[in-house]
Amino acid sequence: MRPRQSSCGWSPFGSEFSKIFSERILEADEYFAARAPAGMTDEERSVMRQAYAGLLWSKQFYHYDVKRWLDGDPNQPPPPPERRWVRNFDWPHLFNRDVISMPDKWEYPWYASWDTAFHMVAIARVDPYFAKSQLLLFLREWFMHPNGQIPAYEYSFSDVNPPVHAWAAWRVYKITGSKGQRDRNFLERVFQKLLLNFTWWVNRKDAHGKHLFAGGFLGLDNIGVFDRSKPLPGGGHLEQADGTAWMGFYCTTMLAIALKLATKDSPYADMASKFFEHFIAIVDAMNHLDGKGLWDEEDGFYYDHLHCDGKVIPLKVRSLVGLIPLIAVETVEAEDMQRLPNFTRRAEWFLKNRPDLARTTSYMEQRSGRRLLAIPSRERLLRVLKYMLDENEFLSPHGIRSLSKIHEDQPYVFKQDGQESAVKYVPGESDSPMFGGNSNWRGPVWVPMNYLLIEALERYHLFYEDTLQVECPTGSGRMMNLQQVAREIAARLTRLVMPDENGRRPCHGDDPRFRESGAWRDLVLFHEYFHGDNGKGLGASHQTGWTALIARCLEDLARARPEK
C-alpha cells in the first residue's frame, strides 16, 4: 500500500492524523509516568520506558506443530524416513500456535523457556495479564511434555534450562497485585502443574538418587571445562553445584508458594512440609555427602565434581556455578509457623534430630521472629561473598562477572587421557567454538543472573538485617549490610545503560553515533550480555527480554532514595 495524492481534497495524513498520534502519545506518556517511581530522573525514565517498549515489541506469533512437521505435508511427497528420528521427534504432542515473548525478534525469533520466565518478571508491571497467561501457557498440555518437562527451545525441546519458572510465577504473583488483592487462582494453577515439572527433575536429573543434580549446560553454555551436555571424559558423571543449587532454589520457592496457599487451604501445608524436607536433603548432600559435598573448605567455594575411574575430581573453576548456591535462600515467618501446626511439628522434628546440619548450613536459624533456610551457613556465605565482591575476581564496574577475573592470569587446566582443556577469563566475545561460539559465560556480565543474586541478598538481609555486614568492594574497608550490597550491584548494572558525564553509555562501547548524533543519543540497546571489564554490549543487540530487568533495578533504586 502506497499513499498518493488525491483530487478529493482529503489528506489521510492531515491534521486529523496528527491529532490521533498526539493523543496516543499523550496517553502513553501518562501511562508510563504513572508507573515510574517519584524519585526517578528523566534519563532513568527514558531508559525504563525503552526497556518496556522493547519487551512489548518482542511479542511474536509462533507456530510449530511437531506432529505435522514429522508427518509432512499431506499434499506433498512424504518426508524422508530419517525425519522420524531427528531432534524433537519425541515431542509429537507439542502444538505451538500462540503469541510468545521472544528473546530477540531479530536474532532469536523463537522462545527459550528460562528466558521467558525472566521476561515475565520484567513485563509484569506493564502487562500483568500477559505475564500470567504466558507462564501458564508453558505449563499447558500442548507445551509441557507428558512426563513433566517444560520445553527448552526450538533447537532441542529436550535440553534442560534452569528451573526458574516457579520463581517467575511467585514474583509475578506478588508484582501484579497488592497484599490481599493478589491472584490466588493463578498461583494455584501454576503450583499444580509445577509439581509435575519438579517430579520430572527429581526422577531424571538426580542420576544416583543422592540429591546431587546434573542437567548439562543448564543455560550457561561454555562456562564449564567441557560441554556438560555431552558424554564426559572417561565416561564419568558430573555432580553439578549449579544444578543442585537450582533444585534447592526450586524447593524454597515451592515451599514459599505452598505456605501462601496454605493460609486459606490447610492441605497445602503438607506440600510445604514436602518441599522443606526435600530442601534439607539437597542441602545435606551439597554440604556433607562423602564428607564435604560440593564445598571446598580450603578455597571457601562450591565446585562441580567429576566422578571418573573411581576418583572424585573437583573442577576448581571460580564461576557463577559456585555463586548460584547463594540464591537458594528463603525466610519463614513466625506467623506461618503458628498458623500451620503440622508443618511446624515436622520442621521441629528435623531441628531436633539433625542438629549437625546447623554447622554448615543456615538451617531454620531463628532471629526476630523469622527462620532462615539457605544452602550456606553464615560463615560459608561470608567466604563466598568475599570472592563475589572482589573487583579482582567477580565484581566488575557493571555487575557480577560470570567467571572470576583471576582466571585471566591463572587459567584452570584439566588434563586427562593425554588431552587438555582450559578455562580462561574472556571478558568479551567467546574465543571457544563451544555452543557455536555466539555466547560467552567465561567473563561477561549477564543481567538475569545478577538480578537473582540481588534478590537473594535482599532475602538474606531480611533475616540478618544489620547484624551481617561485609566489605564492599572486598578490601576497601567500606562496610555494608546485604541490602546495601544488593543496591550497589543494582547501581553498577544500571550504569551499563546510563550516560556518564561525557554522554557515553558503556553498553554502546565507543560507537560515536550514540554519543554525538542527535537522532541516536537517547537510544539504548539492551544487549544479550556485556563485556566483563568495560560494559560494552555483546551478543544479540535487541535482547530486551531478560536485560529489561535493568528497568526494575532503576525503579527499586529510585524508591530507595530519600525524598527531597
Side-chain angles (χ1 to χ4, degrees):
M1 183 175 71
R2 294 189 179 92
R4 64 179 178 84
Q5 293 293 332
S6 172
S7 59
C8 67
W10 176 78
S11 171
F13 300 108
S15 59
E16 187 64 23
F17 176 87
S18 298
K19 180 174 179 273
I20 291 172
F21 262 75
S22 296
E23 289 174 350
R24 298 296 86 79
I25 290 171
L26 179 61
E27 290 169 355
D29 290 344
E30 292 174 347
Y31 178 82
F32 283 105
R35 278 151 183 77
M40 293 189 93
T41 66
D42 289 343
E43 188 63 55
E44 289 170 336
R45 288 169 185 261
S46 174
V47 173
M48 178 200 77
R49 187 161 170 176
Q50 290 182 68
Y52 287 136
L55 275 173
L56 295 170
W57 180 80
S58 293
K59 295 179 184 180
Q60 179 173 289
F61 176 72
Y62 182 86
H63 190 192
Y64 186 8
D65 179 347
V66 172
K67 185 176 186 305
R68 183 176 179 182
W69 180 76
L70 291 173
D71 293 343
D73 193 317
N75 298 318
Q76 298 293 328
E82 55 267 24
R83 180 181 292 188
R84 310 297 295 180
W85 305 104
V86 298
R87 60 190 175 95
N88 298 331
F89 76 92
D90 50 348
W91 289 75
H93 72 286
L94 190 135
F95 183 85
N96 296 167
R97 192 173 63 185
D98 303 274
V99 173
I100 298 175
S101 180
M102 298 293 147
D104 184 327
K105 282 171 73 171
W106 286 3
E107 298 187 50
Y108 297 117
W110 37 259
Y111 65 79
S113 60
W114 83 306
D115 293 56
T116 304
F118 289 108
H119 299 184
M120 295 308 105
V121 173
I123 205 174
R125 290 196 69 240
V126 294
D127 198 344
Y129 174 81
F130 181 75
K132 288 186 281 190
S133 63
Q134 194 88 156
L135 290 168
L136 287 166
L137 178 66
F138 277 72
L139 302 176
R140 295 308 304 266
E141 299 74 40
W142 53 94
F143 272 74
M144 177 184 272
H145 198 282
N147 64 21
Q149 185 178 10
I150 296 173
Y153 38 68
E154 179 183 308
Y155 178 76
S156 177
F157 291 128
S158 293
D159 273 356
V160 184
N161 281 175
V164 292
H165 213 84
W167 164 79
W170 181 228
R171 295 297 293 121
V172 167
Y173 166 78
K174 290 184 172 183
I175 292 166
T176 55
S178 56
K179 285 187 176 181
Q181 297 181 326
R182 291 169 178 161
D183 190 346
R184 179 184 173 88
N185 180 62
F186 161 73
L187 196 62
E188 283 196 271
R189 291 178 68 191
V190 167
F191 184 80
Q192 298 296 339
K193 299 302 284 287
L194 285 171
L195 292 175
L196 302 177
N197 180 246
F198 184 90
T199 303
W200 176 85
W201 267 90
V202 171
N203 291 337
R204 296 296 183 94
K205 298 303 172 183
D206 178 12
H208 299 279
K210 296 181 179 180
H211 306 293
L212 292 175
F213 291 81
F217 77 105
L218 285 174
L220 307 187
D221 293 7
N222 65 337
I223 202 167
V225 180
F226 28 72
D227 187 341
R228 300 189 297 175
S229 293
K230 294 181 178 179
L232 301 175
H237 72 273
L238 202 61
E239 292 170 342
Q240 295 180 214
D242 56 338
T244 305
W246 282 123
M247 283 303 288
F249 182 47
Y250 203 165
C251 280
T252 57
T253 306
M254 293 292 276
L255 167 62
I257 295 174
L259 288 173
K260 174 56 66 177
L261 294 174
T263 59
K264 293 185 178 180
D265 198 350
S266 59
Y268 280 105
D270 293 344
M271 295 309 301
S273 294
K274 178 264 180 298
F275 286 109
F276 168 75
E277 294 183 24
H278 210 130
F279 177 74
I280 295 303
I282 290 172
V283 169
D284 190 12
M286 191 154 191
N287 286 288
H288 300 118
L289 191 67
D290 298 327
K292 61 181 181 180
L294 303 181
W295 173 259
D296 189 286
E297 182 60 30
E298 181 180 358
D299 290 2
F301 207 72
Y302 291 99
Y303 297 119
D304 284 351
H305 281 190
L306 175 64
H307 290 249
C308 186
D309 298 329
K311 298 181 291 185
V312 179
I313 306 168
L315 303 176
K316 294 193 173 187
V317 180
R318 286 211 283 275
S319 72
L320 279 174
V321 166
L323 297 183
I324 289 173
L326 301 190
I327 72 173
V329 53
E330 192 58 68
T331 58
V332 180
E333 302 295 323
E335 59 193 59
D336 290 327
M337 303 289 286
Q338 294 166 4
R339 188 172 54 246
L340 304 171
N342 290 338
F343 170 77
T344 302
R345 278 194 293 272
R346 289 296 297 163
E348 289 177 345
W349 184 91
F350 269 88
L351 287 171
K352 180 180 178 181
N353 287 274
R354 292 298 308 273
D356 55 301
L357 294 176
R359 291 196 301 271
T360 53
T361 71
S362 295
Y363 170 53
M364 292 299 274
E365 185 180 344
Q366 189 170 5
R367 187 181 178 281
S368 301
R370 292 189 176 95
R371 291 184 180 272
L372 181 70
L373 279 173
I375 286 178
S377 64
R378 179 183 174 121
E379 178 193 359
R380 290 185 175 183
L381 171 64
L382 289 170
R383 293 185 71 183
V384 176
L385 288 177
K386 189 173 182 180
Y387 290 118
M388 191 177 92
L389 302 178
D390 189 336
E391 292 180 318
N392 295 313
E393 297 245 10
F394 287 100
L395 185 62
S396 83
H398 307 101
I400 303 300
R401 301 177 175 107
S402 48
L403 185 78
S404 171
K405 191 176 173 64
I406 198 170
H407 291 303
E408 186 171 38
D409 298 322
Q410 302 174 36
Y412 176 79
V413 179
F414 178 79
K415 299 178 181 179
Q416 184 163 353
D417 299 332
Q419 296 186 340
E420 185 174 290
S421 302
V423 175
K424 181 180 175 67
Y425 175 74
V426 180
E429 296 286 12
S430 176
D431 63 355
S432 163
M434 196 183 298
F435 290 88
N438 63 345
S439 81
N440 185 22
W441 290 82
R442 293 184 176 184
V445 172
W446 291 76
V447 171
M449 299 307 301
N450 274 256
Y451 192 79
L452 288 175
L453 288 167
I454 288 167
E455 283 203 348
L457 290 169
E458 292 172 339
R459 293 195 294 276
Y460 281 112
H461 177 72
L462 186 64
F463 179 79
Y464 286 118
E465 299 177 323
D466 287 338
T467 66
L468 194 155
Q469 299 197 12
V470 294
E471 272 189 309
C472 183
T474 298
S476 67
R478 184 181 171 202
M479 303 303 293
M480 295 185 184
N481 63 39
L482 296 189
Q483 177 67 75
Q484 293 167 330
V485 173
R487 289 175 184 160
E488 174 65 21
I489 296 171
R492 291 183 181 227
L493 274 186
T494 62
R495 289 177 205 152
L496 287 165
V497 294
M498 295 297 292
D500 61 18
E501 61 277 6
N502 298 315
R504 177 185 177 274
R505 301 177 199 264
C507 64
H508 294 147
D510 294 320
D511 190 330
R513 293 173 295 179
F514 292 97
R515 188 171 62 255
E516 300 169 3
S517 170
W520 293 57
R521 187 178 299 122
D522 296 329
L523 300 180
V524 179
L525 290 177
F526 296 84
H527 287 79
E528 185 179 2
Y529 54 99
F530 300 87
H531 195 284
D533 292 338
N534 60 40
K536 180 182 178 182
L538 304 169
S541 60
H542 289 70
Q543 190 99 357
T544 318
W546 61 20
T547 303
L549 289 165
I550 283 180
R552 291 197 56 79
C553 293
L554 287 168
E555 294 165 2
D556 292 341
L557 290 169
R559 292 189 192 98
R561 290 174 190 143
E563 294 185 12
K564 293 183 180 180

